[in-house]
Amino acid sequence: MRLSELGDLYSTLLEAAVDGIITIDEAGIITSFNSAAERLFGYRRDEVIGQNVKCLMPEYVARHHDGYLQNYLHGCPARIIGIGREVEGRHKDGSTFPLHLSVGEAVHEGHRNFIGICHDLTSYNAVLRQLGEAEERYRDIVESQKQLICRLDSKLRITFANASFSQVVGVQHDALMGIPLTSIADDAEHQLPYLLAQMFRSSDDLGEVNIKVTMKARDSGALVDWSFKRVESGDSEPPELQGFGIDISQQEAAVEQALYLQSHDPVTGFLNKQAYSDALAAWIQPGRRYALLHIDCSQFERITQQYGFESGDLIMAEAARRLRLGLDRANLCGRVTSDDFVVMAPVIDQDEAQSLANQLVLTLEAAYTIHGEQIRLDTTCGIALYPHDTRALDTLLLMASSAAKDAREHGVAYSYFNPEYHEDLRRQLDIEQGLKEAIDTRAIDVHLQPKFDLGTGQIHSYEALVRWTHPRQGAISPALFIPIAERSALGQKLDRYVLTRVAELIAESIRQGKPEPVIAVNITAKHFSDTALPEFIRDLLQAYQIPARSLQLEITEGIVMEMRRTTTAIMDDLRQMGIEVSIDDFGTGYSSLSYLQNLMVDELKIDKIFIDDLESERGATLVRAVIAIAKAHDLRVTAEGIETGEQARILAAMKCDLGQGYFFARPAPSDEVLGLGS
């Protein structure tokens, strides 16, 4: 589950509570304020979040609050934290009202937070003030309260209990009378009988005793926040204890669940990425060897797309169950992405780590049944060893992830951390980050390579080629950084950058009175299927006032073979604009000529691998056939990678239209090729 989803669930749980729930930080600043708190205090949450919690207290309490909080943070005994008590709250209109406040403490990412649950006691106090007026009225009112109310004698036996008390503990009212409260309270530390008995023994005024106790119930029990006071009944009657309890099970469960979801994946119960990283150091025992396994289940995204997220969650939950059952030793498991697990386990040596990895991969790859269908996860595992590879745990996690990618790329079940492969990944990441900046700062150069008319020897058009010098790694080959751009979703951004630069070149050439150049730009597969591409090009033509005939697009053979409805619609839009489209590197993909009759393209470019073999009889036959079929479909033909005069002569004799390659001209800076002045 993503971080945004955890936050939404946390908010939902707090909003479900009927009592006001307020969280503050170590400085007493309010960080959250639920709807019940808004109703209780009369403030909107945007009015109080970021303010000191003192704004919710009467002045006589507020002026001491910061001191109390600081004293507690420096080790002084708690006055209210961890226990409950009755206090006064201050409404927005300045009026005060009684409330029962329970405060808990939570530590998250090294910071202490305090969670207060506020229950309005106005109704309850009104009830108590009326107890002496009439017994019948007293009973009617008390019985209607949602809070638990009871009376205890000196032996802690129940002498009175209201309907809410009976309902919570699941015992009929008559059966409650005379039984000790301690017999229906789960008090493992035996604090309840000690504290209550002390109120009878002492002649001092002990005031109020506050304690949280789980009351035995039909189900799992109910956590009740109790407040007890000694009540003097008169000279002839022994004193009793008046108990007032609030069932805080729901609120406590909501807070506990929210805190749990901050560190755990709700589907598998494993630690999430941040919590796992935090837990590793405390979990590892000095002097022992461990294997960190990064397990990648790569088919998970496809499964969720086909069967839905609910089915995907079922598979991940089952995969987690298999992991738990498949681990025969102490372990620490985490789910660090939607389809990646990490497992830390003690091992004797590398062989045992390998055996464990193989065992878990086989376990996870066994078939899963969803909607009556058998589904398998394509699973690989990366292994990093502690302390052999490193003692730095953050680095160890990166190493295991790197090893998993290595296993995936090489098609093996598992792979050990490979420093060379990891360095290559690091270098690719460096290139990716540098590429983002280079596009933003226009640090990528556009070079042009002419395409010559093989009949006349004149320049017909140009192909735009990108060149980039990395600030640390030097010149980076397009064959390296373009695939990285496509994998990292930068492909579209790079394409649009080049299209814009080419539009600028065409416009500047026209402005300077030079011949109007025709320039082709290579478009990545993902970008060409983007329905926004035609509109972007249309805006470019209008912004730079250049004719559509001066801009061409080159696409790979694979895009054509995977033509879908959206891609066909894009091709129609481009054709209506007057943009020509060329198939680049023809013959290196699907090597099929049969689909040419259905193409809406204007040019076919024969790949260099065929031109290299042109002077052999077999090679010449292949190229001649491609040219003949292209001509039959009225397509212009360009030969790429011409490096010798003999190749140019043979192609001209075969009636190939255009030629491009080092024999004619190498790619060069665009201003130089077009003869543009500054």
Side-chain angles (χ1 to χ4, degrees):
M1 183 175 282
R2 296 183 293 271
L3 183 60
S4 61
E5 294 171 335
L6 292 178
D8 289 343
L9 180 56
Y10 175 75
S11 298
T12 301
L13 292 171
L14 292 186
E15 290 301 302
V18 296
D19 287 332
I21 299 180
I22 305 168
T23 61
I24 65 172
D25 61 19
E26 295 174 343
I29 302 302
I30 298 173
T31 57
S32 74
F33 200 75
N34 73 345
S35 295
E38 289 181 321
R39 294 190 295 271
L40 185 60
F41 290 93
Y43 288 98
R44 298 191 314 274
R45 68 191 66 189
D46 60 353
E47 293 179 299
V48 295
I49 289 179
Q51 303 297 319
N52 193 290
V53 74
K54 293 187 295 187
C55 67
L56 307 178
M57 302 174 186
E59 176 57 29
Y60 74 91
V61 177
R63 59 174 172 261
H64 299 296
H65 178 265
D66 287 348
Y68 292 152
L69 181 58
Q70 290 305 311
N71 289 341
Y72 174 74
L73 292 173
H74 289 88
C76 292
R79 287 173 171 261
I80 191 169
I81 296 169
I83 55 179
R85 62 181 295 181
E86 184 175 340
V87 298
E88 276 195 318
R90 181 180 181 275
H91 196 271
K92 182 180 179 180
D93 62 11
S95 62
T96 60
F97 60 95
L99 62 86
H100 187 275
L101 175 63
S102 299
V103 180
E105 181 178 358
V107 179
H108 179 61
E109 296 182 350
H111 297 288
R112 299 165 78 175
N113 298 277
F114 302 96
I115 304 169
I117 301 175
C118 306
H119 183 84
D120 188 356
L121 296 183
T122 303
S123 298
Y124 166 67
N125 286 355
V127 169
L128 295 184
R129 284 193 302 270
Q130 297 171 10
L131 286 176
E133 296 180 2
E135 181 68 18
E136 189 62 34
R137 185 181 179 197
Y138 159 77
R139 286 188 178 277
D140 289 343
I141 295 175
V142 171
E143 288 296 328
S144 69
Q145 294 299 300
K146 293 182 180 180
Q147 293 74 34
L148 284 69
I149 302 174
C150 69
R151 283 283 183 98
L152 307 177
D153 64 16
S154 60
K155 296 187 180 299
L156 307 186
R157 294 172 301 196
I158 298 173
T159 61
F160 170 82
N162 71 342
S164 293
F165 189 111
S166 177
Q167 183 179 4
V168 167
V169 299
V171 179
Q172 293 294 327
H173 180 271
D174 292 343
L176 282 172
M177 296 303 101
I179 70 171
L181 178 69
T182 53
S183 68
I184 56 173
D186 187 1
D187 180 30
E189 298 182 359
H190 303 292
Q191 288 292 310
L192 182 64
Y194 170 76
L195 291 173
L196 298 186
Q198 188 179 23
M199 297 186 78
F200 284 106
R201 289 194 302 266
S202 176
S203 59
D204 298 333
D205 183 7
L206 295 180
E208 186 176 331
V209 167
N210 299 281
I211 186 171
K212 292 180 183 178
V213 178
T214 299
M215 305 303 294
K216 298 175 183 177
R218 289 193 181 96
D219 300 322
S220 58
L223 182 63
V224 177
D225 192 351
W226 282 107
S227 175
F228 290 98
K229 289 184 178 180
R230 189 168 67 181
V231 179
E232 302 293 342
S233 301
D235 295 337
S236 60
E237 296 292 334
E240 288 189 324
L241 298 184
Q242 171 77 47
F244 170 74
I246 301 173
D247 183 356
I248 60 172
S249 303
Q250 181 182 8
Q251 296 94 320
E252 290 284 318
V255 172
E256 287 179 10
Q257 180 71 356
L259 293 174
Y260 175 84
L261 291 175
Q262 287 183 355
S263 58
H264 289 77
D265 168 46
V267 175
T268 63
F270 288 170
L271 292 171
N272 60 30
K273 185 176 182 179
Q274 183 58 54
Y276 191 86
S277 179
D278 294 341
L280 270 179
W283 190 80
I284 288 176
Q285 297 180 16
R288 299 196 67 179
R289 298 177 181 176
Y290 294 87
L292 181 64
L293 310 180
H294 186 112
I295 302 170
D296 174 15
C297 306
S298 67
Q299 296 299 310
F300 178 65
E301 184 175 349
R302 180 187 61 79
I303 291 169
T304 56
Q305 290 174 351
Q306 182 173 352
Y307 298 99
F309 286 102
E310 183 177 350
S311 295
D313 286 347
L314 289 175
I315 288 181
M316 282 295 103
E318 170 61 16
R321 188 188 71 84
R322 293 183 185 183
L323 275 179
R324 292 189 189 96
L325 293 177
L327 289 163
D328 57 357
R329 65 198 73 197
N331 61 82
L332 185 67
C333 294
R335 186 183 183 191
V336 292
T337 69
S338 63
D339 54 5
D340 285 12
F341 296 109
V342 285
V343 176
M344 189 71 149
V347 294
I348 298 173
D349 52 25
Q350 183 170 308
D351 289 342
E352 187 177 18
Q354 174 181 317
S355 175
L356 180 60
N358 192 51
Q359 170 192 331
L360 294 181
V361 168
L362 291 175
T363 298
L364 294 180
E365 285 191 332
Y368 301 78
T369 302
I370 293 292
H371 303 304
E373 294 187 38
Q374 297 288 301
I375 297 172
R376 295 182 183 274
L377 294 177
D378 183 10
T379 306
T380 53
C381 180
I383 308 171
L385 301 176
Y386 176 93
H388 178 272
D389 291 324
T390 182
R391 290 182 178 273
L393 297 178
D394 287 346
T395 304
L396 194 74
L397 286 164
L398 292 175
M399 288 178 170
S401 175
S402 168
K405 290 183 176 68
D406 192 8
R408 175 72 57 199
E409 288 192 8
H410 290 87
V412 296
Y414 56 84
S415 177
Y416 287 101
F417 169 68
N418 182 332
E420 293 181 1
Y421 180 81
H422 185 71
E423 177 59 27
D424 184 55
L425 280 181
R426 189 205 60 76
R427 183 168 181 260
Q428 289 187 39
L429 180 61
D430 192 29
I431 290 173
E432 178 186 332
Q433 297 301 316
L435 190 57
K436 291 178 183 178
E437 183 178 355
I439 294 173
D440 291 338
T441 60
R442 294 172 62 93
I444 296 178
D445 297 322
V446 174
H447 286 206
L448 299 178
Q449 186 176 33
K451 294 190 282 187
F452 285 81
D453 187 314
L454 293 178
T456 65
Q458 300 298 311
I459 292 177
H460 174 274
S461 55
Y462 304 89
E463 179 180 0
L465 302 168
V466 287
R467 297 291 183 267
W468 176 39
T469 301
H470 190 279
R472 289 177 298 279
Q473 300 186 29
I476 306 290
S477 168
L480 177 59
F481 72 77
I482 290 178
I484 291 175
E486 293 182 13
R487 289 197 298 270
S488 62
L490 284 172
Q492 182 189 72
K493 191 172 183 180
L494 180 59
D495 284 351
R496 293 193 172 197
Y497 170 84
V498 177
L499 284 167
T500 303
R501 291 291 302 274
V502 165
E504 292 172 353
L505 287 171
I506 296 170
E508 183 62 20
S509 186
I510 295 172
R511 190 188 70 80
Q512 293 189 23
K514 305 291 184 181
E516 178 187 302
V518 177
I519 303 177
V521 177
N522 289 277
I523 301 296
T524 59
K526 187 176 293 186
H527 191 191
F528 194 78
S529 62
D530 180 7
T531 55
L533 176 62
E535 188 64 28
F536 177 79
I537 292 177
R538 188 178 288 110
D539 291 344
L540 269 185
L541 298 179
Q542 183 175 354
Y544 290 94
Q545 292 296 296
I546 59 175
R549 64 176 177 271
S550 63
L551 183 63
Q552 295 180 346
L553 303 183
E554 293 188 2
I555 60 176
T556 63
E557 186 180 357
I559 296 177
V560 177
M561 289 298 290
E562 295 175 4
M563 285 266 245
R564 298 173 183 163
R565 185 174 300 173
T566 56
T567 310
T568 304
I570 290 168
M571 195 81 84
D572 284 338
D573 282 351
L574 294 172
R575 179 171 289 276
Q576 289 175 12
M577 265 189 278
I579 300 290
E580 289 193 354
V581 178
S582 172
I583 301 177
D584 193 21
D585 299 335
F586 181 81
T588 60
Y590 294 84
S591 302
S592 172
L593 301 175
S594 61
Y595 63 79
L596 287 176
Q597 61 184 357
N598 299 317
L599 289 183
M600 295 179 291
V601 298
D602 304 277
E603 181 182 61
L604 184 152
K605 298 183 74 175
I606 304 174
D607 190 76
K608 182 180 185 299
I609 62 171
F610 296 100
I611 305 305
D612 289 343
D613 196 32
L614 184 61
E615 295 182 40
S616 72
E617 182 177 346
R618 176 180 174 277
T621 300
L622 283 173
V623 172
R624 190 179 292 109
V626 171
I627 294 174
I629 294 176
K631 293 291 184 181
H633 293 89
D634 200 26
L635 299 178
R636 184 172 62 247
V637 182
T638 297
E640 297 183 291
I642 299 175
E643 296 186 348
T644 68
E646 182 61 15
Q647 290 173 340
R649 187 192 64 76
I650 294 172
L651 288 165
M654 292 180 178
K655 304 300 181 182
C656 180
D657 299 301
L658 306 178
Q660 177 182 356
Y662 285 1
F663 172 71
F664 297 108
R666 291 175 176 268
S670 51
D671 287 352
E672 176 185 321
V673 172
L674 297 178
L676 300 179
S678 57

